[in-house]
Amino acid sequence: MKTLVQGKATKVFGILLACMAVVACGQKEAETMAAGERAAPAAAEKPAHVLLFVMPDKTAPAGLAQMLAGWKSAGALSDVVLVKKYGHEEKPGYDEGFNELAILDFPSESAYEQWRNSEAARLGPDVVASRADVLLDRRTKKNDPSKSIFVISQYESLVSPQEYQDYTDAYIEPNMANQMFSGIMTRYTMYLEREATGGLAHPKAVLVTEYANQAEFDRKKAVKDAYKAVLLSGTHPEWAHINDTKKALRTDKSETYAHPVEL
């Protein structure tokens, strides 16, 4: 029964987000009207995102954590997280994923371009920098990356960006939302590379999830399996169909477990 309620909660979650968006828009409109004859401000630039991979057979450059912290304190980055692998899922066709991974959030496209032209070369040849777009991002108020257990899953996308967006919305979101509503997960973000990296023919999709702590991470399998059983019970035919045909959309590459690195 609990899992059924959690399934319905996914729809409620979407409604709540929509309501929040409406309220926010209403407030913004009211503020604009109250401004009278003041000139409207220029539209804010969209943030930019880069994933930095230190591959399993490579070593991170000396001082990487300090370098990232310096970029953030200087205002080049709006946020940054660095994690280091401590384990990985062992399945046929899977690799270790990475040794270290950094997620760089830039406040704007211009900030990214400035960093790319002036600072990126400092990373050296052993770091793969991949520009990526965010397809999905949810975080709870309790999200604290410094205490999280990170699980990063990588897939080679076999379809167009829009088709992978549709797949993410229809298939990935319900599973992730259920884990978040259960209390074990505090963040899930799906990134899609703009270009292929790592010798692959197609861009990777990278799913970054954070579990509140080790105890909550240990509940992951039980929570996920129980809800998957509900989704496959016949009540969610669309989700079940995607589950049966997802190999045509993506190729699983890795699932890596990581701890945060203090910056």
Side-chain angles (χ1 to χ4, degrees):
M1 180 62 68
K2 183 178 180 181
T3 52
L4 287 172
V5 172
Q6 290 169 336
K8 293 179 181 178
T10 302
K11 295 182 178 179
V12 174
F13 183 60
I15 294 171
L16 287 174
L17 286 176
C19 291
M20 290 169 63
V22 170
V23 171
C25 289
Q27 291 174 337
K28 187 173 183 180
E29 182 175 280
E31 292 169 358
T32 301
M33 293 173 65
E37 297 181 357
R38 288 183 299 175
E45 288 191 72
K46 292 183 178 180
H49 312 279
V50 171
L51 305 178
L52 301 181
F53 294 93
V54 180
M55 305 309 287
D57 59 341
K58 302 295 182 180
T59 302
L64 176 60
Q66 291 77 9
M67 192 185 306
L68 297 174
W71 289 336
K72 186 173 188 297
S73 64
L77 301 175
S78 54
D79 197 14
V80 59
V81 173
L82 175 64
V83 299
K84 184 174 179 58
K85 178 194 70 179
Y86 73 84
H88 65 280
E89 187 73 14
E90 296 185 9
K91 290 182 179 179
Y94 275 44
D95 57 38
E96 297 180 35
F98 58 82
N99 183 15
E100 295 189 39
L101 170 69
I103 303 169
L104 279 57
D105 297 324
F106 295 87
S108 64
E109 186 71 26
S110 58
Y112 160 72
E113 289 293 342
Q114 183 175 354
W115 171 86
R116 184 175 68 88
N117 293 327
S118 63
E119 296 290 332
R122 295 174 57 194
L123 293 168
D126 290 339
V127 176
V128 177
S130 179
R131 183 70 193 276
D133 294 309
V134 173
L135 304 186
L136 176 67
D137 183 47
R138 306 271 189 251
R139 309 180 197 213
T140 71
K141 292 181 179 180
K142 294 182 179 180
N143 176 242
D144 183 352
S146 69
K147 299 178 180 178
S148 295
I149 300 295
F150 284 77
V151 180
I152 294 94
S153 302
Q154 298 186 61
Y155 315 90
E156 183 176 11
S157 171
L158 305 178
V159 294
S160 70
Q162 183 57 56
E163 288 173 311
Y164 210 91
Q165 177 73 73
D166 295 341
Y167 159 74
T168 298
D169 294 341
Y171 184 81
I172 299 296
E173 172 87 276
N175 180 23
M176 296 296 105
N178 177 65
Q179 293 188 58
M180 181 170 281
F181 290 133
S182 75
I184 65 174
M185 184 184 287
T186 65
R187 177 229 180 141
Y188 57 93
T189 307
M190 179 69 85
Y191 297 92
L192 183 63
E193 292 182 318
R194 292 192 173 184
E195 297 181 358
T197 61
L200 297 178
H202 307 95
K204 293 195 303 292
V206 181
L207 177 61
V208 176
T209 57
E210 293 183 42
Y211 293 84
N213 50 50
Q214 185 63 52
E216 301 295 11
F217 172 70
D218 291 341
R219 295 176 55 209
K220 172 179 180 285
K221 186 177 188 305
V223 171
K224 181 179 178 181
D225 289 352
Y227 192 59
K228 186 174 182 178
V230 172
L231 294 174
L232 294 176
S233 66
T235 57
H236 298 77
E238 179 185 1
W239 194 93
H241 173 72
I242 298 173
N243 187 67
D244 291 339
T245 59
K246 62 185 179 183
K247 289 185 178 180
L249 307 175
R250 73 182 200 193
T251 300
D252 297 8
K253 304 303 295 183
S254 64
E255 183 174 297
T256 308
Y257 313 127
H259 289 139
V261 177
E262 184 176 357
L263 299 179

